[in-house]
Amino acid sequence: MELIRALLIAAIIIVILSGISVFLGSRGQEKKPARYFLIATLGAALWTLAIYFALNVTEASSNLVHFIITCIISGVILMDVGLLAFLGYGYKGGRLLTLLFTVGGTVLIALLAYDSSLFYSSYDLSQGYIRVIVDHNWHFFALISYFILISITHSSYLLRRIEETKNPGFKTGLKIFSIGLSIGGILALLFDLILLTSLPSLIWIGPLATIISIMAFYYSVVKYRVLDVSSKWVKVMSSVILVGVAVIIYLLAFYVISKVA
């Protein structure tokens, strides 16, 4: 688990510094949507940090376990809402949908914080990490429905931008970002919610998959200028992404080799 936790720390650094560099480097009218991108990366960082602690628990009170689980769900919802605000900025209905998903996500988090039994019936720490026994009740399916709906909304705004743009390069950049976002979203939904009970030790795959989305966004910004970011901050973002991804690839390779051996 030490290698996995190192991977998660690297992921946290990448997403936070990427959000900061995009926000500080954005210019003109794109400053506001860049702020929403920063919020999304902070949500991803919270999600990843909570999973870091969830994978390093041998003894903990029920309140601490519940707090960690609540932070995991809160981080994902904050990330998705921030991303929705970023992608829907400038579109009619974008603010309304963002508000509706914000309210819906807040309600789901509040219910979970108030009553843990709505999401899980018990937990186990014997393996050195939090393994929750999820109740497949209405709250669980409400969370799945929420994440599926907000993912569909993300995709619809991206597809709309792809259809509307006349610039071939810009269109290609958006397509690349869309593919990366889809891959990351599917992996997160699969390993962090659907397979949470059966494969709890693989929950780290979800937040690590956000790096795929970050990489796709980074490439679309650098190569196709889908967001107007100053060259100075593009260099900063490039350094963060390249060094961070190199570390992650090295650690993943070491992890795979150690498992095979």
Side-chain angles (χ1 to χ4, degrees), residues 160-212:
R160 187 173 175 181
R161 289 186 183 277
I162 291 171
E163 290 176 356
E164 291 178 352
T165 184
K166 304 301 181 183
N167 186 316
F170 195 85
K171 188 186 291 287
T172 301
L174 290 175
K175 288 179 179 178
I176 291 172
F177 180 40
S178 179
I179 292 171
L181 193 62
S182 299
I183 294 173
I186 291 171
L187 290 175
L189 182 64
L190 183 63
F191 287 100
D192 283 38
L193 196 55
I194 296 174
L195 300 178
L196 180 60
T197 297
S198 57
L199 296 172
S201 62
L202 296 181
I203 194 174
W204 55 272
I205 292 178
L208 203 63
T210 59
I211 302 303
I212 299 174

Side-chain angles (χ1 to χ4, degrees), residues 55 58 69 129 162 208 236:
L55 295 176
T58 53
I69 294 171
Y129 57 84
I162 291 171
L208 203 63
V236 172

Side-chain angles (χ1 to χ4, degrees), residues 53-240:
F53 286 111
L55 295 176
N56 188 29
V57 177
T58 53
E59 295 182 7
S61 65
S62 59
N63 288 335
L64 179 58
V65 170
H66 185 51
F67 177 73
I68 292 174
I69 294 171
T70 303
C71 285
I72 291 174
I73 301 297
S74 300
V76 180
I77 289 177
L78 179 61
M79 177 184 67
D80 280 339
V81 169
L83 189 59
L84 176 59
F86 171 71
L87 295 173
Y89 180 78
Y91 282 112
K92 184 178 180 180
R95 289 185 179 181
L96 178 59
L97 282 173
T98 301
L99 176 61
L100 290 175
F101 276 107
T102 300
V103 172
T106 302
V107 170
L108 289 172
I109 294 170
L111 288 171
L112 173 60
Y114 177 73
D115 186 1
S116 63
S117 65
L118 289 174
F119 184 60
Y120 63 96
S121 56
S122 60
Y123 62 89
D124 176 34
L125 303 178
S126 61
Q127 302 298 317
Y129 57 84
I130 298 175
R131 178 177 181 271
V132 295
I133 310 303
V134 177
D135 287 337
H136 292 80
N137 55 21
W138 70 268
H139 189 271
F140 174 79
F141 289 110
L143 279 171
I144 289 182
S145 300
Y146 177 89
F147 291 128
I148 290 176
L149 284 173
I150 199 168
S151 297
I152 291 173
T153 309
H154 290 159
S155 300
S156 66
Y157 276 124
L158 260 176
L159 290 174
R160 187 173 175 181
R161 289 186 183 277
I162 291 171
E163 290 176 356
E164 291 178 352
T165 184
K166 304 301 181 183
N167 186 316
F170 195 85
K171 188 186 291 287
T172 301
L174 290 175
K175 288 179 179 178
I176 291 172
F177 180 40
S178 179
I179 292 171
L181 193 62
S182 299
I183 294 173
I186 291 171
L187 290 175
L189 182 64
L190 183 63
F191 287 100
D192 283 38
L193 196 55
I194 296 174
L195 300 178
L196 180 60
T197 297
S198 57
L199 296 172
S201 62
L202 296 181
I203 194 174
W204 55 272
I205 292 178
L208 203 63
T210 59
I211 302 303
I212 299 174
S213 302
I214 292 290
M215 280 292 295
F217 180 73
Y218 156 75
Y219 186 75
S220 66
V221 169
V222 173
K223 179 71 174 179
Y224 300 105
R225 309 299 293 180
V226 298
L227 193 70
D228 186 16
V229 179
S230 68
S231 57
K232 170 187 173 182
W233 286 100
V234 165
K235 291 179 181 178
V236 172
M237 189 178 180
S238 299
S239 301
V240 171

